[in-house]
PDB file of all heavy atoms in Angstrom:
ATOM      1  N   MET U   1       5.728   4.877   4.002  1.00  0.00           N
ATOM      2  CA  MET U   1       5.243   4.555   2.672  1.00  0.00           C
ATOM      3  C   MET U   1       6.431   4.197   1.814  1.00  0.00           C
ATOM      4  O   MET U   1       7.450   4.857   1.833  1.00  0.00           O
ATOM      5  CB  MET U   1       4.511   5.763   2.085  1.00  0.00           C
ATOM      6  CG  MET U   1       4.146   5.577   0.656  1.00  0.00           C
ATOM      7  SD  MET U   1       3.212   6.939  -0.046  1.00  0.00           S
ATOM      8  CE  MET U   1       4.523   8.022  -0.501  1.00  0.00           C
ATOM      9  N   GLY U  11      29.264   8.442  -8.115  1.00  0.00           N
ATOM     10  CA  GLY U  11      30.563   8.540  -7.471  1.00  0.00           C
ATOM     11  C   GLY U  11      30.688   9.739  -6.538  1.00  0.00           C
ATOM     12  O   GLY U  11      31.607   9.806  -5.740  1.00  0.00           O
ATOM     13  N   VAL U  18      15.373  12.217  -7.538  1.00  0.00           N
ATOM     14  CA  VAL U  18      14.052  11.616  -7.718  1.00  0.00           C
ATOM     15  C   VAL U  18      14.107  10.131  -7.412  1.00  0.00           C
ATOM     16  O   VAL U  18      15.161   9.521  -7.401  1.00  0.00           O
ATOM     17  CB  VAL U  18      13.534  11.810  -9.163  1.00  0.00           C
ATOM     18  CG1 VAL U  18      13.335  13.269  -9.484  1.00  0.00           C
ATOM     19  CG2 VAL U  18      14.472  11.177 -10.152  1.00  0.00           C
ATOM     20  N   LEU U  29       2.692  12.845  -3.914  1.00  0.00           N
ATOM     21  CA  LEU U  29       2.070  13.746  -2.949  1.00  0.00           C
ATOM     22  C   LEU U  29       0.608  13.369  -2.696  1.00  0.00           C
ATOM     23  O   LEU U  29       0.134  13.417  -1.553  1.00  0.00           O
ATOM     24  CB  LEU U  29       2.176  15.199  -3.416  1.00  0.00           C
ATOM     25  CG  LEU U  29       3.590  15.782  -3.418  1.00  0.00           C
ATOM     26  CD1 LEU U  29       3.616  17.136  -4.114  1.00  0.00           C
ATOM     27  CD2 LEU U  29       4.129  15.873  -2.003  1.00  0.00           C
ATOM     28  N   GLY U  43      -7.127   5.713  12.916  1.00  0.00           N
ATOM     29  CA  GLY U  43      -6.267   5.291  14.014  1.00  0.00           C
ATOM     30  C   GLY U  43      -5.447   4.060  13.662  1.00  0.00           C
ATOM     31  O   GLY U  43      -4.654   3.575  14.466  1.00  0.00           O
ATOM     32  N   ILE U  57       3.788 -14.917  -3.601  1.00  0.00           N
ATOM     33  CA  ILE U  57       3.478 -13.495  -3.474  1.00  0.00           C
ATOM     34  C   ILE U  57       2.860 -13.165  -2.115  1.00  0.00           C
ATOM     35  O   ILE U  57       3.286 -12.223  -1.444  1.00  0.00           O
ATOM     36  CB  ILE U  57       2.518 -13.049  -4.613  1.00  0.00           C
ATOM     37  CG1 ILE U  57       3.123 -13.322  -5.988  1.00  0.00           C
ATOM     38  CG2 ILE U  57       2.099 -11.597  -4.443  1.00  0.00           C
ATOM     39  CD1 ILE U  57       4.314 -12.498  -6.351  1.00  0.00           C
ATOM     40  N   ARG U  84       1.758  -7.859 -12.175  1.00  0.00           N
ATOM     41  CA  ARG U  84       0.297  -7.755 -12.169  1.00  0.00           C
ATOM     42  C   ARG U  84      -0.279  -8.447 -10.933  1.00  0.00           C
ATOM     43  O   ARG U  84      -1.196  -9.258 -11.023  1.00  0.00           O
ATOM     44  CB  ARG U  84      -0.297  -8.306 -13.463  1.00  0.00           C
ATOM     45  CG  ARG U  84       0.236  -7.599 -14.705  1.00  0.00           C
ATOM     46  CD  ARG U  84      -0.334  -8.145 -15.968  1.00  0.00           C
ATOM     47  NE  ARG U  84      -1.730  -7.815 -16.115  1.00  0.00           N
ATOM     48  CZ  ARG U  84      -2.215  -6.798 -16.809  1.00  0.00           C
ATOM     49  NH1 ARG U  84      -1.381  -6.021 -17.452  1.00  0.00           N
ATOM     50  NH2 ARG U  84      -3.507  -6.568 -16.893  1.00  0.00           N
ATOM     51  N   THR U  90      -3.794  -7.269   6.376  1.00  0.00           N
ATOM     52  CA  THR U  90      -4.263  -6.551   7.563  1.00  0.00           C
ATOM     53  C   THR U  90      -3.789  -7.278   8.814  1.00  0.00           C
ATOM     54  O   THR U  90      -3.743  -8.512   8.839  1.00  0.00           O
ATOM     55  CB  THR U  90      -5.807  -6.476   7.590  1.00  0.00           C
ATOM     56  OG1 THR U  90      -6.337  -7.792   7.441  1.00  0.00           O
ATOM     57  CG2 THR U  90      -6.339  -5.596   6.471  1.00  0.00           C
TER      58      THR U  90
END
Side-chain angles (χ1 to χ4, degrees):
M1 172 177 85
V18 296
L29 292 170
I57 302 292
R84 302 179 70 97
T90 53

